[in-house]
Amino acid sequence: MRIESSKLETIPPANIRWVRDAYDNSVAIATFDATTTRLEISSEIIVQHFDESPLDFLVSEFAVSYPFTYDADTAAVLQPYLIGPGPADHAALGIWVNKWWRRGEPVQTYGLLARLCAGINQTLSYQMREQPGVQPAAETLARGVGSCRDFANLFMEAARFLGLAARFVSGYLNALSADGRSGATHAWTEVYLPGAGWKGFDPTIGELVGSRHIAVAVARLPDAVSPVTGSYFGGKGADLTVGVWVKDLQVSVQK
């Protein structure tokens, strides 16, 4: 994906500076000098997407079948994304993964991940959840319901349970929303497959990530990729609304 143009505006106007965080995400830091009764943040971007054929990739021969071991140099870089779940989640994930694959059963690495991704979509119920934070994997499995970020976290923890490097992705999905708009905030997971790199899996819809997905930020943990963070001083009773609009731009090329 390549950014063709971008525009960030705020009401009231702010002093904005751009930085790169530890995950190489672009982060805008806005500082406000004036008081206001309204804060509006508007971000408009035009991107060119190249992932029209998400299945068009090859995994290195040594990693085609699961289990496999990352080489030492790669494992050192991926270490933060290999840290497994805590004891409660580990136990719950062990039982859940065993439903889809039993240790010792021959399986291709991609096939196993696709099986888990589809399993979340087919056996758990999606539920919009306005509460902040992300459910632990064990809670999502126990309740049987979750939001896209809960499902992404569950899939990420399941991949790490299997010894595969995984990270959380926050972005947008180009799909029709409940109110008729095209576009919604979304979350999914990327798993590092030797030879293919970071490949995205969307357990909410049970598919490999493709051109409908627009990644905004990646991180080791979900809490690190909130679209907007910050604080303000003022009274109680503030309301928050979020809107996402995505549309396809038709570009003609003359030779």
Side-chain angles (χ1 to χ4, degrees):
M1 191 176 72
R2 183 174 66 190
I3 297 177
E4 297 286 343
S5 65
S6 65
K7 180 172 65 175
L8 178 64
E9 297 179 337
T10 66
I11 299 174
N15 177 30
I16 297 177
R17 58 187 178 91
W18 288 90
V19 300
R20 290 277 188 177
D21 67 8
Y23 300 101
D24 205 31
N25 299 310
S26 293
V27 181
I29 299 177
T31 304
F32 299 89
D33 297 324
T35 59
T36 183
T37 58
R38 172 190 177 196
L39 171 61
E40 180 176 320
I41 302 172
S42 175
S43 175
E44 180 179 318
I45 60 171
I46 297 176
V47 298
Q48 188 173 1
H49 218 304
F50 298 92
D51 201 8
E52 295 292 340
S53 303
L55 282 171
D56 186 16
F57 67 91
L58 292 174
V59 178
S60 296
E61 186 175 353
F62 75 91
V64 169
S65 297
Y66 179 83
F68 68 90
T69 302
Y70 294 109
D71 66 79
D73 287 343
T74 301
V77 175
L78 296 176
Q79 187 57 41
Y81 306 100
L82 289 164
I83 298 175
D89 288 333
H90 190 277
L93 285 166
I95 297 172
W96 182 73
V97 169
N98 195 55
K99 296 179 180 179
W100 307 100
W101 173 75
R102 294 186 179 275
R103 193 169 296 277
E105 172 192 343
V107 66
Q108 289 191 342
T109 304
Y110 169 72
L112 175 57
L113 291 169
R115 193 183 302 176
L116 297 178
C117 182
I120 293 174
N121 169 260
Q122 294 169 4
T123 62
L124 303 180
S125 299
Y126 173 78
Q127 181 183 69
M128 288 188 65
R129 195 166 59 80
E130 298 297 334
Q131 296 87 345
V134 176
Q135 292 178 173
E139 181 179 346
T140 300
L141 291 173
R143 295 185 61 215
V145 298
S147 65
C148 61
R149 62 186 187 276
D150 300 323
F151 291 165
N153 184 63
L154 170 59
F155 186 86
M156 180 180 72
E157 295 286 28
R160 292 178 181 176
F161 173 85
L162 293 168
L164 302 175
R167 65 187 185 184
F168 192 91
V169 187
S170 176
Y172 307 121
L173 180 65
N174 187 6
L176 195 65
S177 61
D179 59 2
R181 289 184 291 107
S182 180
T185 56
H186 201 50
W188 58 93
T189 308
E190 288 182 344
V191 179
Y192 189 83
L193 299 177
W198 290 104
K199 293 300 296 182
F201 294 82
D202 185 348
T204 302
I205 59 178
E207 298 177 4
L208 201 63
V209 168
S211 59
R212 290 198 299 156
H213 296 77
I214 303 169
V216 174
V218 300
R220 185 177 69 87
L221 298 173
D223 292 346
V225 289
S226 298
V228 178
T229 59
S231 59
Y232 73 94
F233 298 93
K236 298 179 180 179
D239 295 321
L240 171 67
T241 59
V242 178
V244 178
W245 294 265
V246 180
K247 63 179 180 179
D248 295 321
L249 299 179
Q250 301 298 325
V251 179
S252 61
V253 178
Q254 295 181 348
K255 294 184 178 181

